[in-house]
Amino acid sequence: MSSAEIAEQTSLMTLEEVLEATGGKLAGTPEAFSFNDVQTDSRNVKDGTLFVPLVGEFQDGHKYVPQAVKAGASVVLINKSEYEKNRKVYDELSSDGVKFILVENTLHGLQDCAEGYVKKFPDLIKVAITGSCGKTTTKEMVVSVLKQKYNCVYTKGNFNSETGLPLSVFQIRKEHECGIFEMGMNRENEIGEIAKVLKPEYALITNIGTAHIGILGSRENIAKEKRKVFSYISENGYAFIPENDDYKDFAVENVKGNVVSFGYDVPASKSGAEFVKENGLFGIVFTLDGIEINLPVSGMYNYQNALGAVALAKVLGLSAQQIKNGLESFQNIGGRMEVRKAVTKNGKNIILVKDCYNANPDSMTKAVELCSDQDGKKVFVLGDMKELGEKSLSAHKEIISLVKEKGIDAVAFVGCDFASARDDKNPFGKYFDSVKSEGLAEFILSEVSENSVVLLKGSNSMKLGEILPEILEGENL
């Protein structure tokens, strides 16, 4: 067997499968068609990659096609209009052996190709997780638990978008038994598009809150979008929804399969789970079918997330002991409610709560309420919450009022959105333009005392974590 024939056999998809999935057309000869990886960033291309140049508002990925081919791309999806406009350039590139698949739109081509790829694994248990907040944490909990029984493939990090989800499913291989994929949303119908790619038989909504309300306008519109994750559930499938979510009935009204409610409002007689106690910022203890479980993350909202993982795991046949093993070995992704002890540059032992991967009014309120209930002086650094649109001013005002109501000892508000929401007639807290603002580190260090609780919470773009080298001893970073 020739090396070309071997490459074709090990390709993620055949030429025929790609053309059928995308409705595309091959430019060039069909011989030796093969790819073993898929990328949308030319910097990540290696030998044997399918490269998909995306067209955005400010960037056209087609200009990186030569760079991708030089790096080893073997197949490239390309817009028909682009090919017709620059045919000579692409014909010269194809002389190097690269195959061009012409499609109407490369984003849709990527999604269609991924949808076709998923069809190659009819026995895969397909799980989708979405929600306004908590979806990445819940996904990581579900992965940690389901690994106790199944060979799992899952979303790495937060590759959950219109492009991230398709790229994630291309990690599926024949040895995998269960796929757990996160679905995020930054525009209308994004959940609908990526749910079509995966067609999950098991889907879980963590909650329907106010994240992205600036894009969709209302919680009802958010609920309409989130419930699209249930669109492909058959009569044998399962939809998981929080018992206490006021959009619960709306979210599941068209579900064809089974509906399972989860959360701390579900009685132990039904869920098997019973709350025991909170261990401050260091976790929660509960029992499941009489077995004690020490959940290593704090907050009742994380207990709620864990109960979602429990409900899903039970449906998929895991025992209480397997669920215990998975939850107790769970580790949250960096930047999401990290709790640890640290020492500041002025020698104070503190409890640091770092939750600056993302922020919206729901998650900000939960973090503030959790940390405000702890012993010790409270020093909070709160950064702007992004993507709130016309709701931004009122949302930031509400957080300022909440922090004031909780009697937090010292607060640094970081960003122009918090500054706009400041009440000059009744000032509270200190305000800084950015994490790089002069005086922010000095303010924090002047306020911390022994055993202080220091909370960093804000949207990822605020980069609050960059203050840590300014306030902590080097070995604590």
Side-chain angles (χ1 to χ4, degrees):
M1 186 179 293
S2 69
S3 59
E5 289 173 324
I6 293 173
E8 287 180 10
Q9 285 193 357
T10 58
S11 180
L12 294 181
M13 299 177 75
T14 66
L15 172 60
E16 292 73 21
E17 288 170 337
V18 172
L19 294 180
E20 180 181 356
T22 62
K25 178 183 177 182
L26 173 68
T29 60
E31 289 80 18
F33 180 91
S34 175
F35 66 94
N36 52 36
D37 187 33
V38 182
Q39 296 292 341
T40 58
D41 188 333
S42 61
R43 294 169 294 184
N44 297 329
V45 169
K46 57 187 179 183
D47 285 344
T49 294
L50 165 62
F51 175 60
V52 185
L54 300 173
V55 180
E57 185 178 356
F58 304 108
Q59 188 77 276
D60 187 344
H62 287 97
K63 72 179 182 179
Y64 299 107
V65 171
Q67 178 181 327
V69 171
K70 185 177 180 180
S74 56
V75 182
V76 179
L77 292 190
I78 188 169
N79 283 349
K80 288 180 182 178
S81 59
E82 168 66 20
Y83 178 77
E84 291 166 359
K85 185 170 62 176
N86 296 299
R87 182 165 185 166
K88 185 178 179 180
V89 172
Y90 294 111
D91 286 348
E92 288 179 2
L93 290 171
S94 66
S95 65
D96 294 331
V98 64
K99 312 297 180 185
F100 290 104
I101 305 294
L102 310 184
V103 296
E104 295 295 334
N105 177 292
T106 51
L107 171 61
H108 296 157
L110 170 65
Q111 294 172 343
D112 293 340
C113 197
E115 180 182 354
Y117 183 69
V118 172
K119 290 177 182 177
K120 292 165 65 73
F121 304 92
D123 296 328
L124 183 75
I125 299 169
K126 296 179 294 183
V127 178
I129 297 171
T130 191
S132 294
C133 58
K135 54 184 174 290
T136 300
T137 298
T138 304
K139 179 258 299 180
E140 292 296 321
M141 287 181 178
V142 168
V143 169
S144 188
V145 170
L146 295 188
K147 274 184 174 181
Q148 306 303 313
K149 181 175 181 177
Y150 298 105
N151 185 336
C152 296
V153 58
Y154 50 92
T155 304
K156 299 296 195 296
N158 68 329
F159 263 58
N160 60 16
S161 65
E162 60 186 4
T163 57
L165 185 280
L167 292 177
S168 292
V169 304
F170 275 112
Q171 302 305 311
I172 301 170
R173 297 295 182 266
K174 62 181 180 181
E175 65 268 21
H176 292 132
E177 300 168 297
C178 182
I180 304 115
F181 297 99
E182 181 181 332
M183 294 186 179
M185 169 184 78
N186 283 302
R187 60 173 175 80
E188 187 177 355
N189 201 40
E190 189 166 2
I191 294 292
E193 288 180 11
I194 57 182
K196 181 176 179 289
V197 171
L198 183 64
K199 295 183 175 62
E201 278 286 276
Y202 303 86
L204 184 152
I205 295 177
T206 60
N207 60 6
I208 296 168
T210 54
H212 307 304
I213 199 166
I215 298 169
L216 294 180
S218 69
R219 281 190 67 211
E220 182 173 345
N221 287 340
I222 292 171
K224 285 179 181 178
E225 185 64 26
K226 293 295 184 184
R227 71 178 182 177
K228 291 177 183 177
V229 76
F230 297 148
S231 298
Y232 298 92
I233 293 175
S234 69
E235 292 180 358
N236 296 321
Y238 285 80
F240 299 85
I241 191 80
E243 172 68 25
N244 63 358
D245 197 296
D246 50 355
Y247 277 89
K248 170 193 165 187
D249 293 337
F250 177 77
V252 301
E253 66 182 9
N254 295 315
V255 172
K256 296 178 182 177
N258 304 280
V259 175
V260 176
S261 299
F262 68 86
Y264 40 76
D265 290 340
V266 177
S269 58
K270 184 177 179 181
S271 68
E274 190 161 11
F275 176 81
V276 176
K277 65 176 180 178
E278 288 189 80
N279 283 332
L281 288 170
F282 293 94
I284 287 173
V285 180
F286 70 101
T287 61
L288 180 64
D289 298 337
I291 295 178
E292 185 173 283
I293 297 177
N294 290 279
L295 185 67
V297 286
S298 56
M300 291 301 287
Y301 55 93
N302 275 323
Y303 178 48
Q304 173 95 340
N305 293 335
L307 292 175
V310 167
L312 176 59
K314 282 197 158 193
V315 164
L316 290 176
L318 276 79
S319 67
Q321 185 61 49
Q322 288 173 316
I323 295 171
K324 170 185 170 71
N325 295 342
L327 287 178
E328 291 189 343
S329 60
F330 159 75
Q331 292 183 320
N332 213 346
I333 289 180
R336 295 179 185 271
M337 223 39 207
E338 290 181 61
V339 180
R340 58 189 172 93
K341 295 179 180 179
V343 181
T344 62
K345 285 186 178 292
N346 55 354
K348 305 299 182 182
N349 292 287
I350 64 169
I351 296 176
L352 175 67
V353 183
K354 181 185 175 188
D355 191 4
C356 40
Y357 190 88
N358 208 346
N360 57 59
D362 299 321
S363 64
M364 182 76 80
T365 297
K366 289 171 181 175
V368 167
E369 289 179 341
L370 172 65
C371 292
S372 66
D373 289 339
Q374 308 307 311
D375 295 332
K377 185 177 181 180
K378 267 72 73 177
V379 180
F380 289 4
V381 181
L382 305 182
D384 285 350
M385 303 173 288
K386 299 301 183 181
E387 299 179 346
L388 298 180
E390 63 182 19
K391 307 285 186 180
S392 180
L393 182 61
S394 61
H396 285 84
K397 283 185 175 182
E398 287 173 8
I399 295 299
I400 294 173
S401 296
L402 174 65
V403 173
K404 187 175 181 181
E405 174 191 323
K406 292 291 184 180
I408 304 307
D409 299 290
V411 187
F413 295 105
V414 181
C416 59
D417 294 322
F418 268 123
S420 297
R422 173 172 47 192
D423 183 358
D424 290 325
K425 294 182 179 179
N426 194 9
F428 175 75
K430 296 285 187 178
Y431 291 80
F432 299 87
D433 292 336
S434 76
V435 73
K436 296 295 186 182
S437 293
E438 183 178 352
L440 176 57
E442 290 78 4
F443 170 74
I444 298 169
L445 290 173
S446 69
E447 292 292 344
V448 294
S449 58
E450 195 70 8
N451 298 319
S452 288
V453 174
V454 179
L455 168 66
L456 270 62
K457 175 68 177 176
S459 286
N460 190 38
S461 60
M462 299 306 297
K463 301 180 180 179
L464 294 186
E466 293 184 2
I467 197 64
L468 294 180
E470 304 297 320
I471 65 172
L472 299 183
E473 285 293 345
E475 64 268 20
N476 296 278
L477 297 178

